[in-house]
């Protein structure tokens, strides 16, 4: 059996990321798993799950909402109350005890929410409904038209992101990732299809990037820019988002930001001109999340996909489903051991240990 570490030395080299020196270049991408309480408090089971995966160079924990109206789906985590902070502290303590490091992704769902879940009408740049059904405690239901955010809503949401970042540091995270991807609120402001505003937050590219810039700058001011990452997903149509002018959005956005710990590009294609332009424009650490086959995890756990992105200029590789199914993914990749495949039926909305903490390691469960 070929030793993966020998064939891919760069993936297993150390690398600087913000205030951290990572032991290798493979991080765990944020993965919503819906195992929190209905109030968004992380559970002891979640501490077990993340501690099992502490060999990742960095764990970017699943999306947490900065305020109640930002909730997307049932049983997702939040970071806007003392109970949330205490719950996440149990998780970060467990991971740190295993030698791991964590950032927390902060996400506001925008129109990707529902009153049956949050008790509130979702808010968005413009009153344009999600063009699909959405999961609620009662199952999938039609989406609702969101309320268009006022200037006061925008200002209070910026402040909520900054407060959530401070809470994350109090909860023991090394830093946070601002989620501006996958059709959620910040991405909705960027995209022409969801942002029809005629004020200073809509219309031109410079106006549409304004909210993302203000949120990121407020978070950086709250905890320090070297503890802040930003996730984007050019090309993505998740949650019905339609950017319209992708080639113009991201050069403008990156030109307005500087000094962050990293930029995280989802669905990264090393041959795409937009990815290549992002690498050229972004002077700091670049995390790339490769597109893996939807029906299976590659036999090498994603190693070859990571190598291609490193060759295209990425500094760090973020993997999602391979870590979900393989708590000891790094060991498997180093040794060339076979990987577990994901049991999709237990990925989201079902709760419990099955398909969560019971994936076997090479020498036992977890």
């Amino acid at each position: 059996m070929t030793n993966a570490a020998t064939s891919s030395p760069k993936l297993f080299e150390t690398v600087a990321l913000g205030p951290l020196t990572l032991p290798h270049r493979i991080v765990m991408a944020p993965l919503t798993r819906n195992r929190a309480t209905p109030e968004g408090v992380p559970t002891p089971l979640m501490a077990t799950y993340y501690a099992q995966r502490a060999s990742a160079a960095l764990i970017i924990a699943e999306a947490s909402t900065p305020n109640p109206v930002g909730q997307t789906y049932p049983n997702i985590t939040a970071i806007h109350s003392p109970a949330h902070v205490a719950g996440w502290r149990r998780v970060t303590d467990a991971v740190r005890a295993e030698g791991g490091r964590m950032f927390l992704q902060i996400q506001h769902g925008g129109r990707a929410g529902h009153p049956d879940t949050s008790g509130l009408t979702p808010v968005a740049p413009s009153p344009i409904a999600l063009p699909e059904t959405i999961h609620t405690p009662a199952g999938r239901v039609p989406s609702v038209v969101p309320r268009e955010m006022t200037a006061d809503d925008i200002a209070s949401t910026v402040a909520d992101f900054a407060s959530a970042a401070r809470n994350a540091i109090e909860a023991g995270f090394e830093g946070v990732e601002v989620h501006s991807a996958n059709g959620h609120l910040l991405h909705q402001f960027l995209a022409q299809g969801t942002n029809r505003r005629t004020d200073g937050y809509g219309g031109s590219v410079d106006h549409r990037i304004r909210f993302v810039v203000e949120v990121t700058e407020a978070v950086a001011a709250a905890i320090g820019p070297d503890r802040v990452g930003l996730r984007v997903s050019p090309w993505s149509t998740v949650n019905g988002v339609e950017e319209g002018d992708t080639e113009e959005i991201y050069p403008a956005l990156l030109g307005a930001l500087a000094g962050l710990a990293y930029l995280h590009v989802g669905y990264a294609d090393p041959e795409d001109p937009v990815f290549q332009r992002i690498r050229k424009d972004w002077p700091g650490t670049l995390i790339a999340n490769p597109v893996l086959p939807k029906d299976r995890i590659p036999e090498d756990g994603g190693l070859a996909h990571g190598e291609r992105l490193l060759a295209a200029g990425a500094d760090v590789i973020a993997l999602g489903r391979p870590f979900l199914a393989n708590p000891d993914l790094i060991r498997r990749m180093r040794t060339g051991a076979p990987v577990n495949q994901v049991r999709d039926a237990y990925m989201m909305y079902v709760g419990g240990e099955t398909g969560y903490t019971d994936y076997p390691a090479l020498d036992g469960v977890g």
Side-chain angles (χ1 to χ4, degrees):
M1 182 176 293
T2 301
N3 187 310
T6 300
S7 63
S8 182
K10 190 173 181 181
L11 270 174
F12 299 103
E13 292 177 354
T14 61
V15 63
L17 185 147
L20 306 175
T21 298
L22 304 185
H24 53 81
R25 296 171 184 258
I26 308 165
V27 306
M28 180 174 168
L31 294 157
T32 294
R33 303 301 309 279
N34 307 88
R35 259 69 172 192
T37 71
E39 296 76 29
V41 177
T43 60
L45 183 64
M46 291 175 59
T48 299
Y49 168 78
Y50 281 113
Q52 288 175 343
R53 290 153 178 80
S55 61
L58 174 71
I59 294 173
I60 307 172
E62 63 202 84
S64 289
T65 57
N67 55 29
V69 75
Q71 183 175 2
T72 50
Y73 315 114
N75 301 99
I76 68 165
T77 60
I79 188 66
H80 54 81
S81 80
H84 301 142
V85 172
W88 273 123
R89 170 60 78 171
R90 288 190 291 270
V91 175
T92 60
D93 283 349
V95 170
R96 188 169 288 109
E98 296 297 325
R101 297 142 296 274
M102 299 186 79
F103 269 45
L104 178 66
Q105 187 183 77
I106 305 177
Q107 171 197 277
H108 189 302
R111 70 175 185 170
H114 198 280
D116 290 354
T117 302
S118 68
L120 300 166
T121 300
V123 297
S126 301
I128 303 169
L130 190 73
E132 56 196 58
T133 59
I134 189 168
H135 198 89
T136 72
R140 298 200 73 88
V141 301
S143 301
V144 300
V145 176
R147 179 174 62 80
E148 181 171 301
M149 295 174 73
T150 65
D152 286 344
D153 290 329
I154 289 173
S156 65
T157 302
V158 170
D160 288 342
F161 268 86
S163 178
R166 288 189 289 268
N167 287 343
I169 298 303
E170 183 180 350
F173 289 96
E174 303 287 353
V176 304
E177 177 176 282
V178 175
H179 193 16
S180 183
N182 295 1
H184 295 294
L185 181 65
L186 274 66
H187 201 184
Q188 292 162 27
F189 269 89
L190 294 178
Q192 289 180 336
T194 43
N195 186 345
R196 306 288 176 79
R197 302 176 73 94
T198 58
D199 62 3
Y201 291 92
S204 69
V205 167
D206 286 346
H207 286 178
R208 281 184 281 123
I209 69 171
R210 179 179 171 187
F211 180 62
V212 179
V213 172
E214 288 182 356
V215 166
T216 307
E217 288 181 340
V219 169
I223 64 172
D226 65 337
R227 294 185 179 274
V228 179
L230 176 68
R231 190 179 200 204
V232 297
S233 59
W235 327 278
S236 173
T237 58
V238 174
N239 286 314
V241 73
E242 296 178 4
E243 293 177 334
D245 48 6
T246 301
E247 295 84 358
E248 298 177 27
I249 291 171
Y250 292 95
L253 178 62
L254 302 190
L257 297 171
L260 302 182
Y262 64 82
L263 179 71
H264 183 178
V265 179
Y267 313 110
D269 179 352
E271 297 183 2
D272 190 280
V274 175
F275 176 82
Q276 295 168 0
R277 175 70 186 270
I278 286 173
R279 175 65 284 183
K280 180 181 177 182
D281 289 349
W282 183 250
T285 299
L286 182 67
I287 300 179
N289 171 222
V291 180
L292 300 182
K294 292 182 178 181
D295 61 339
R296 63 181 176 83
I297 297 171
E299 293 182 3
D300 64 2
L303 186 147
H305 287 76
E307 287 180 328
R308 286 194 288 273
L309 283 166
L310 289 180
D315 301 294
V316 177
I317 303 303
L319 296 174
R321 289 178 297 126
F323 272 111
L324 183 158
N326 297 275
D328 57 348
L329 178 66
I330 301 305
R331 180 181 174 191
R332 293 172 189 265
M333 293 178 77
R334 285 184 181 275
T335 62
V339 297
N340 303 318
Q341 294 296 322
V342 173
R343 287 172 276 161
D344 289 334
Y346 302 100
M347 189 177 297
M348 299 174 69
Y349 309 124
V350 297
E353 299 177 2
T354 304
Y356 189 61
T357 55
D358 65 343
Y359 280 104
L362 289 172
D363 51 5
V365 174

